[in-house]
């Protein structure tokens, strides 16, 4: 897989930890694409010995060229804050997934990323948030939902505290969905919910 990231890269790290240490893993991170130099995700990739690329929207064709040259089967957007060029979306239809830090279709769409999502969740007063993994299409956060994991919203939460709780769920659900896809299973029919009494 190729992982696209724009920031800290903790979701990338969860994928590296799960897949890049064992020869018999069903999947492997083969390329990390960063939206700008110097971000944590690129450092994490370098530490793991995974090739990296910094991609600028000014050069749309270079992205698909690199993915094809590296024979990438699956693209994972893990904290990626840009639209993906339509040619890449079409080439990787049903083979490109995104993780979003809320329960879509609520709190998604253009401008809803990172801390803004959690600020909106707290402002709305909802009691449950969570993580969503979905296929990517031409718009922000609108492709078919594959898996969701609920997380409680506490009355005392700051956006940072809620973000940290949701990230823990993200780090579990994202590798699980990748594992399902790599094994040719449909992650939508797997049961992701933690058991409740
Ligand atoms: C994650 O919470 C991810 O869900 C979110 O950015 C964060 C990246 O963290 N993505 C979006 O908001 C996309 N709409 P990370 O760099 O530590 O993985």
């Amino acid at each position: 897989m190729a992982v696209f990231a724009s920031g800290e890269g903790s979701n990338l790290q969860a994928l590296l930890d799960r897949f890049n240490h064992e020869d018999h893993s069903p999947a492997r991170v083969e390329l990390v694409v960063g939206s700008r130099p110097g971000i944590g995700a690129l450092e994490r990739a370098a530490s793991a010995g995974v090739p990296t690329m910094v991609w600028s929207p000014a050069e749309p064709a270079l992205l698909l060229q690199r993915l094809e040259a590296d024979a990438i089967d699956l693209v994972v957007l893990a904290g990626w804050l840009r639209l993906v060029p339509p040619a890449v979306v079409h080439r990787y239809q049903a083979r490109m997934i995104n993780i979003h830090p809320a329960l879509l279709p609520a709190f998604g769409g253009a401008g809803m990323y990172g801390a803004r999502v959690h600020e909106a969740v707290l402002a709305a007063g909802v009691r449950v948030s969570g993580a969503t993994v979905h296929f990517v299409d031409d718009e922000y956060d609108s492709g078919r939902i594959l898996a969701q994991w609920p997380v409680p919203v506490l009355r005392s939460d700051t956006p940072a505290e809620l973000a940290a709780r949701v990230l823990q769920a993200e780090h579990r659900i994202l590798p699980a969905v990748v594992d399902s896809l790599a094994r040719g299973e449909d992650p939508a029919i797997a049961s992701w919910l933690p058991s409740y009494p």
Side-chain angles (χ1 to χ4, degrees):
M1 79 194 92
V3 179
F4 290 18
S6 299
E8 175 58 31
S10 70
N11 278 293
L12 165 66
Q13 191 67 53
L15 294 169
L16 291 169
D17 292 347
R18 171 76 169 261
F19 296 114
N20 279 45
H21 294 294
E22 298 167 25
D23 287 341
H24 59 270
S25 283
R28 182 172 300 269
V29 181
E30 296 277 6
L31 174 68
V32 172
V33 178
S35 54
R36 58 193 163 89
I39 57 176
L42 292 172
E43 286 172 23
R44 291 175 190 267
S47 299
V50 174
T52 62
M53 168 190 190
V54 175
W55 176 73
S56 148
E59 301 168 313
L62 289 186
L63 189 56
L64 188 52
Q65 274 171 25
R66 178 66 184 262
L67 296 174
E68 292 190 331
D70 287 12
I72 296 297
D73 296 313
L74 176 71
V75 173
V76 180
L77 309 187
W80 178 254
L81 304 183
R82 292 210 165 115
L83 270 183
V84 176
V88 178
V89 174
H90 292 141
R91 176 76 174 77
Y92 281 88
Q93 202 170 14
R95 295 190 302 145
M96 187 184 317
I97 61 175
N98 177 51
I99 183 139
H100 185 77
L103 295 179
L104 292 174
F107 306 108
M112 276 291 186
Y113 57 85
R116 294 189 192 188
V117 176
H118 306 295
E119 286 161 10
V121 164
L122 292 173
V126 298
R127 302 263 65 93
V128 180
S129 190
T132 301
V133 179
H134 62 93
F135 279 131
V136 174
D137 63 15
D138 292 335
E139 294 171 47
Y140 283 107
D141 303 328
S142 77
R144 180 160 81 90
I145 290 171
L146 294 171
Q148 294 186 306
W149 193 298
V151 169
V153 181
L154 307 184
R155 287 186 193 283
S156 61
D157 272 344
T158 63
E161 287 167 340
L162 178 57
R165 195 175 308 117
V166 171
L167 260 184
Q168 289 181 23
E170 293 182 45
H171 297 164
R172 296 177 71 173
I173 198 173
L174 185 58
V177 170
V178 169
D179 188 76
S180 285
L181 290 172
R183 294 176 190 279
E185 299 163 0
D186 182 354
I189 59 171
S191 174
W192 304 107
L193 288 181
S195 55
Y196 289 109

